[in-house]
Amino acid sequence: MAPARTKSADDTAAADHPPAKLGLRERKKIQTRQAIRRTAYRLFQEQGYDATPVDQIADEAEVSPSTVFRYFPTKEDIVLTDEYDPLLEEALGERPAGEPPVTALREALYASLARIHQAEADEIFQRIRLIRQVPALRGRMSEHSADTACQLRRSLAERTGRPENDLELRIVTGAMLGALMEALYCWSESDFSGDLDTLHTLVTRALGVLERGLTL
């Protein structure tokens, strides 16, 4: 789920249904961002990422180009910005306190993916395909991944008692996010065949490589 995304109230909404506690202004911001993103995904699918200018996305989403850039600083951010990080933090916080950190993160990652898949599977599939196909997206993704890794380190620091900038913690978090992306790429190469159990198996296998110490 900007160069260094700053979470605001509208960034914490899960998907299509903003929490009731949000005010009208915040709900409208969420709806506008989602309308832009859905329009962009439709156009990307119809005519390709590179052939779709931001002006066209804005026109068909019935907003101005400046509005698009207010929500998404770059075209790549339309694909890469999401509301998923809070779901992952919540899922990790729900894992048993005594559970090994890698196991807790593995299960939290899968639980978050399952919720996202049920809510917006088609968008997830297209997003993964675009990241694999478009070099500019892979380059920009490193900045978004750094933000996600920072949040995960904060959660794991609370579980382990280590400082957030601990080297081992940074390595484990980065490695697990990399393993997760490889599992998703593998799933996309099979044209997303199978159900959520298939995804769970792939995530478990990918993170299991780390759990056993990177042996082959």
Side-chain angles (χ1 to χ4, degrees):
M1 76 78 102
R5 284 182 297 168
T6 300
K7 298 295 180 183
S8 57
D10 58 311
D11 282 317
T12 60
D16 295 334
H17 305 288
K21 65 181 181 181
L22 292 179
L24 177 61
R25 183 170 179 270
E26 287 75 18
R27 293 200 302 272
K28 284 186 175 295
K29 287 170 65 177
I30 292 169
Q31 292 164 0
T32 299
R33 186 175 62 239
Q34 291 175 339
I36 294 169
R37 190 162 53 213
R38 288 172 181 152
T39 299
Y41 274 121
R42 175 176 57 79
L43 293 172
F44 295 157
Q45 186 169 19
E46 291 173 357
Q47 58 196 38
Y49 178 86
D50 291 330
T52 303
V54 171
D55 285 354
Q56 183 183 10
I57 295 171
D59 183 59
E60 299 212 16
E62 299 184 339
V63 299
S64 67
S66 63
T67 297
V68 174
F69 287 120
R70 185 163 66 248
Y71 287 96
F72 305 101
T74 72
K75 180 180 171 182
E76 289 77 22
D77 290 323
I78 299 176
V79 177
L80 298 174
T81 302
D82 57 51
E83 297 83 32
Y84 303 152
D85 287 353
L87 295 180
L88 179 53
E89 282 195 286
E90 179 183 350
L92 187 56
E94 292 171 352
R95 300 306 304 171
E99 193 170 49
V102 175
T103 302
L105 186 51
R106 181 192 66 210
E107 293 304 317
L109 284 167
Y110 173 71
S112 301
L113 283 171
R115 289 178 61 184
I116 295 164
H117 179 272
Q118 291 169 355
E120 42 194 45
D122 290 342
E123 188 172 297
I124 291 299
F125 297 160
Q126 190 178 1
R127 182 186 196 185
I128 297 171
R129 289 192 185 102
L130 284 168
I131 291 171
R132 285 188 61 82
Q133 295 168 359
V134 181
L137 286 171
R138 293 196 298 275
R140 182 69 167 168
M141 188 176 67
S142 64
E143 298 180 50
H144 287 259
S145 296
D147 190 47
T148 299
C150 183
Q151 293 193 44
L152 288 180
R153 286 201 305 272
R154 182 171 62 247
S155 296
L156 288 178
E158 294 175 358
R159 298 181 66 90
T160 62
R162 289 173 177 263
E164 289 183 32
N165 64 349
D166 179 77
L167 177 60
E168 285 82 359
L169 189 59
R170 296 171 70 98
I171 292 171
V172 168
T173 304
M176 293 192 75
L177 287 176
L180 173 64
M181 284 308 304
E182 290 303 324
L184 293 174
Y185 288 157
C186 184
W187 194 33
S188 74
E189 289 168 1
S190 67
D191 200 26
F192 304 101
S193 61
D195 53 19
L196 284 175
D197 287 338
T198 301
L199 176 58
H200 189 218
T201 297
L202 287 171
V203 172
T204 300
R205 284 184 59 194
L207 299 180
V209 174
L210 305 181
E211 288 183 289
R212 68 172 183 258
L214 295 177
T215 57
L216 294 175

